[in-house]
Amino acid sequence: MIALNGRSSTGLEVRIAAMLCYALGFVSGLIFLAVEKNSRFVKFHALQSTLLFGSLFIINVAFSFIPLIGWLLNLLLVPLSFVCWIACMLLALQERKFMVPFIGPIADRESARF
């Protein structure tokens, strides 16, 4: 675990800001990407939230256009997305820099540029 005492440029504690990056899915991720200036930890979680939940949203919409099979796949995707959402918020609140497969390494690399 990384000790991240201090505040982000939003005025919130770093761990609270990282958790809030996931609160509204990719929307809150985009907001924190635009607002956060100092904390690379918060930027990482904001970018990971944006990429993860943006991708899940697009997949969900695509599946909804496929009759029967797409709807059944959505029955699996929606609960898995919910579990992932809760896990991401809890792990960010515990000040862990975890990486979601495929998306986490991209977020880690690109968060340095913001």
Side-chain angles (χ1 to χ4, degrees), residues 16-70:
I16 301 296
M19 181 201 64
L20 289 175
C21 290
Y22 297 102
L24 298 174
F26 68 91
V27 175
S28 57
L30 286 171
I31 291 169
F32 274 92
L33 271 178
V35 173
E36 182 59 47
K37 304 294 182 223
N38 299 330
S39 174
R40 185 167 178 212
F41 181 74
V42 175
K43 290 179 193 177
F44 164 76
H45 282 289
L47 188 56
Q48 181 167 266
S49 172
T50 302
L51 294 174
L52 175 64
F53 294 110
S55 300
L56 289 173
F57 177 75
I58 291 169
I59 292 168
N60 190 349
V61 169
F63 281 168
S64 67
F65 287 112
I66 303 171
L68 193 59
I69 294 173

Side-chain angles (χ1 to χ4, degrees), residues 5 14 43 53 62 78 89 99 104 106 112 114:
N5 298 333
V14 172
K43 290 179 193 177
F53 294 110
V78 171
M89 287 198 315
M99 292 192 194
I106 295 168
F114 285 98

